[in-house]
Amino acid sequence: MISPTHYLPMSQLARKSHLPHRNLWLGLLGALLLSSPAHAHPHSLSDGFDRPEQDYSTAESGDRAIAATGAATLLEDIEIKDEGFILHTRGQQAQFDLKPSSDRSWVSIDLPGVSLSPELARRTLSVERWGVERLQVIQLSSTPPMTRVTLSLDDSAPNWQARSNGSGQVLVWPEGSAPPGLARGQSGLIRIEGVELSEDGSRVTIKADGPIAYTSNWDRHTSAYMLTIYSAELAWQGSLTRPNSDSPVLWVRGSQEDPETVAIRILPAAGAQIGNITQNGDREISLQLSRGPTPSNLPNANNRPPIPTAPPAEKPSSVPQVPQTRLAIVIDPGHGGRDPGAVGIGGLQEKDVVLDISEQVAQILEQNGVTVVMTRQDDRTLDLAPRTQLANRVNADLFVSIHANAVAGKRPEVNGLETFYYSSGRELAGYIQNSMIQSFSTMPNRGVKQARFYVLRHTRMPAVLVETGFVTGRDDSRILADAAQRSRMAEAIARGILNYVRDRR
């Protein structure tokens, strides 16, 4: 919660355990899985027939399956090894996103652009090792394709990690142990032999002695754009710095993250835009960057459009589809770590409520083709400046800070939803506020308001701060303490953002 003029002071109250966490899509996942046929092989998610190793997947049948699904990649099998799991894919190199739940009861591995083999559709498998009770796999969406593998965990489960080996497999295993060995076609390590920065600093080129398998993401610790290269060792030594004052790159650094993983970090200059990654043959990739708009080209606060009315009749539970874009949105869960934010009825802590909602908002946006960067993904202390610096560094299109409200004194009658903006976020605030009121018609509408919050004044893109209700309110606190209602709130916020994006395109 943020008051009209300042953040609430940090509290030294004892840390409260995490709220029960329910993902917005977990109910759908469970419902589909309950109806699934239970014919899984003890060590595989494929059908119950024991097939010879050489018949695992022929090129002809695999290509037909990929063509039938319309996806670039097909998940053909999930193999359980003594050290962990191997996800066998066919087609383009699979990207993945491993996400633990806030209460550590499950871990999901999302595979964008990946479709399931028909033999794997909606399957579940009892595991009973490493603290994993069961493994579930589902086709989360078909357009665009998205497959999810979920590990249901007990209290003894360790943290989990994943990587691609560059040969059509994604390895998933407990943190601190060796990755699972491959039964099928493990390749040796490639060498990263050189990293070059063009004379104008607009292109970074990475050269290797073999095929490069990589993923890309933002490194929250350095605010750098990071290319993670798997089954690789770093032969190139040193770092590159900005060649001139107009360069969109400040520096490039390489590091050996573990014995088989290399990271190349690129720190963009303020306002620089990340472009496409191009493959120059199979042994060279390039990242293109460009200078962003200057401050004088940023939206003018004096030319604000009116607050929009609520979108015409649509079911509150529906989430609009938006065109595939390179849109990037920063989601900022307020407070965290030593700063619990507002503490309400029954010890309800703002930092836990908003992290749960924010994670689900991010997930919905990502499933609709939006790139999401979160300022925090766990219970850590984070000052205000790093939040806005991250948003500006990644040149985000939108910034959405999510909070829960509070009022001093015992005033449980104060309840309601409100959304704040400072300059160019006024229209976005209207869309989100309207969407929340659509879903929660019994909650008082406290409206869209202008405020000089730090995170709104120091971001260079349309920015809003959403107050999802009062943890001190008699009615609101019941909603915010309910996992199912937090999921509804997340869907409402995400729908407001997507409606704004759709109508502005």
Side-chain angles (χ1 to χ4, degrees):
M1 170 264 184
I2 301 181
S3 69
T5 55
H6 60 280
Y7 275 97
L8 290 178
M10 287 190 177
S11 170
Q12 299 300 319
L13 295 174
R15 178 180 176 183
K16 188 182 187 304
S17 61
H18 283 295
L19 294 165
H21 181 93
R22 287 177 59 190
N23 186 275
L24 177 62
W25 300 100
L26 200 54
L28 171 63
L29 177 65
L32 290 170
L33 289 166
L34 286 174
S35 64
S36 304
H39 300 306
H41 188 279
H43 299 290
S44 172
L45 282 184
S46 55
D47 59 34
F49 296 100
D50 291 322
R51 290 174 292 175
E53 185 75 15
Q54 64 268 25
D55 291 337
Y56 165 69
S57 176
T58 66
E60 184 178 356
S61 62
D63 291 343
R64 284 201 305 267
I66 292 173
T69 62
T73 310
L74 189 71
L75 177 60
E76 293 186 314
D77 192 19
I78 298 181
E79 185 179 2
I80 299 180
K81 305 285 287 184
D82 290 338
E83 305 89 351
F85 305 96
I86 302 177
L87 281 55
H88 293 274
T89 66
R90 180 177 182 80
Q92 292 186 12
Q93 179 66 43
Q95 306 284 312
F96 64 87
D97 185 12
L98 186 147
K99 292 182 180 178
S101 66
S102 61
D103 63 354
R104 296 172 58 85
S105 64
W106 53 264
V107 168
S108 67
I109 302 99
D110 284 350
L111 304 165
V114 175
S115 287
L116 288 176
S117 163
E119 297 175 348
L120 276 173
R122 300 192 301 273
R123 293 301 177 95
T124 183
L125 181 65
S126 177
V127 178
E128 302 298 340
R129 65 174 93 174
W130 315 296
V132 179
E133 296 174 346
R134 64 185 179 278
L135 180 149
Q136 301 165 318
V137 61
I138 190 172
Q139 187 76 52
L140 197 61
S141 66
S142 298
T143 309
M146 170 76 79
T147 291
R148 171 171 296 166
V149 177
T150 301
L151 309 180
S152 298
L153 309 176
D154 63 26
D155 293 339
S156 66
N159 294 327
W160 285 79
Q161 56 192 355
R163 71 170 175 85
S164 169
N165 76 323
S167 300
Q169 293 97 357
V170 176
L171 313 181
V172 184
W173 75 99
E175 196 173 82
S177 62
L182 291 170
R184 304 181 180 106
Q186 183 173 11
S187 62
L189 301 182
I190 65 168
R191 288 168 56 86
I192 305 301
E193 297 181 327
V195 179
E196 299 174 356
L197 186 60
S198 63
E199 291 184 7
D200 62 358
S202 65
R203 187 175 65 257
V204 178
T205 301
I206 301 168
K207 297 181 178 181
D209 66 353
I212 300 175
Y214 67 91
T215 58
S216 59
N217 210 334
W218 289 96
D219 179 15
R220 288 190 303 149
H221 300 293
T222 63
S223 296
Y225 192 70
M226 182 168 66
L227 299 177
T228 302
I229 303 173
Y230 302 102
S231 297
E233 58 183 358
L234 188 63
W236 172 76
Q237 300 295 329
S239 63
L240 304 173
T241 57
R242 190 177 198 171
N244 57 66
S245 59
D246 293 327
S247 169
V249 173
L250 295 181
W251 51 252
V252 181
R253 297 171 186 167
S255 62
Q256 189 79 45
E257 299 292 287
D258 63 42
E260 297 184 357
T261 308
V262 169
I264 305 297
R265 292 176 172 85
I266 301 108
L267 184 65
Q273 297 179 348
I274 300 294
N276 295 324
I277 299 174
T278 57
Q279 194 98 24
N280 312 321
D282 62 355
R283 300 187 176 195
E284 183 177 304
I285 58 174
S286 295
L287 172 66
Q288 190 71 37
L289 300 94
S290 61
R291 296 292 302 186
T294 61
S296 61
N297 293 328
L298 296 173
N300 189 335
N302 296 322
N303 295 326
R304 295 191 295 264
I307 296 176
T309 58
E314 65 173 327
K315 293 181 181 179
S317 60
S318 65
V319 175
Q321 296 293 315
V322 297
Q324 291 293 307
T325 68
R326 295 188 61 82
L327 194 73
I329 298 177
V330 169
I331 301 296
D332 173 42
H335 307 279
R338 297 187 302 274
D339 175 17
V343 180
I345 295 173
L348 189 64
Q349 293 194 9
E350 178 183 4
K351 67 174 184 177
D352 295 330
V353 169
V354 301
L355 179 59
D356 186 12
I357 292 173
S358 297
E359 287 177 331
Q360 297 186 61
V361 169
Q363 188 173 53
I364 297 169
L365 294 177
E366 287 172 343
Q367 289 162 356
N368 283 272
V370 175
T371 298
V372 176
V373 178
M374 292 188 66
T375 58
R376 69 178 179 98
Q377 295 176 285
D378 51 22
D379 185 24
R380 68 177 60 197
T381 305
L382 188 63
D383 292 335
L384 301 182
R387 300 173 192 259
T388 59
Q389 289 167 359
L390 175 61
N392 293 333
R393 178 71 66 195
V394 304
N395 198 36
D397 295 279
L398 302 173
F399 177 90
V400 179
S401 189
I402 298 177
H403 290 256
N405 226 328
V407 64
K410 293 184 177 180
R411 298 180 60 194
E413 74 281 3
V414 179
N415 297 272
L417 299 163
E418 56 190 343
T419 307
F420 294 92
Y421 71 96
Y422 173 63
S423 58
S424 59
R426 187 170 186 253
E427 187 177 7
L428 174 60
Y431 271 83
I432 294 174
Q433 181 73 11
N434 287 333
S435 183
M436 290 192 296
I437 293 301
Q438 273 191 306
S439 290
F440 295 89
S441 57
T442 61
M443 296 180 74
N445 184 354
R446 297 172 63 89
V448 171
K449 303 173 182 177
Q450 190 171 25
R452 291 180 54 81
F453 300 140
Y454 184 98
V455 294
L456 302 183
R457 289 186 292 113
H458 290 82
T459 42
R460 293 198 298 265
M461 66 291 302
V464 300
L465 188 145
V466 182
E467 295 282 10
T468 58
F470 285 76
V471 294
T472 55
R474 181 187 299 109
D475 301 324
D476 289 0
S477 63
R478 294 194 187 104
I479 292 173
L480 296 175
D482 186 322
Q485 298 303 315
R486 292 197 300 274
S487 292
R488 283 184 62 213
M489 186 68 71
E491 187 177 19
I493 294 170
R495 186 176 61 249
I497 295 169
L498 292 171
N499 275 329
Y500 170 85
V501 171
R502 179 196 61 190
D503 292 350
R504 298 277 291 186
R505 291 286 162 176

